[in-house]
Amino acid sequence: NLHHHKSIWGWPLPEWGAAGKFIGVKDSSSTFLKYLDKRKISLGCNIKVLHQEDFDQSLHIGLDDTNLTISIKSASNLYITKI
């Protein structure tokens, strides 16, 4: 059950340098799943928090082979397990 996994984001603020494996989503709507697919965030990928913007709390994250920025809303809908 994914609800027993604690997010590495350290809600409401992420832990700097936190790393984990993406194992599921809280929001399974088709729009969110399409967003993840477009950003190439897929189950099993490794995610690391690189930086958080003070202005809007958006997160700069590192994936297995790329870096990108996601909103705090998007991050809060990801289930991540520490690795």
Side-chain angles (χ1 to χ4, degrees):
N1 189 339
L2 293 177
H3 296 289
H4 294 296
H5 288 278
K6 185 175 180 185
S7 174
I8 64 163
W9 308 125
W11 194 254
L13 296 175
E15 299 172 18
W16 306 120
K21 186 173 291 287
F22 172 42
I23 59 168
V25 294
K26 188 182 337 179
D27 177 356
S28 60
S29 68
S30 63
T31 52
F32 186 59
L33 296 177
K34 286 178 186 176
Y35 168 81
L36 294 177
D37 189 51
K38 181 179 172 183
R39 305 303 302 266
K40 300 193 183 328
I41 302 172
S42 57
L43 289 176
C45 73
N46 295 311
I47 297 178
K48 182 175 182 179
V49 177
L50 303 175
H51 177 72
Q52 183 174 31
E53 292 297 332
D54 292 332
F55 173 69
D56 63 0
Q57 284 73 52
S58 59
L59 297 176
H60 298 282
I61 60 172
L63 299 179
D64 288 325
D65 56 0
T66 190
N67 295 340
L68 53 91
T69 301
I70 61 173
S71 69
I72 197 72
K73 180 180 179 182
S74 296
S76 69
N77 283 298
L78 302 177
Y79 286 115
I80 308 292
T81 187
K82 287 193 177 185
I83 52 174

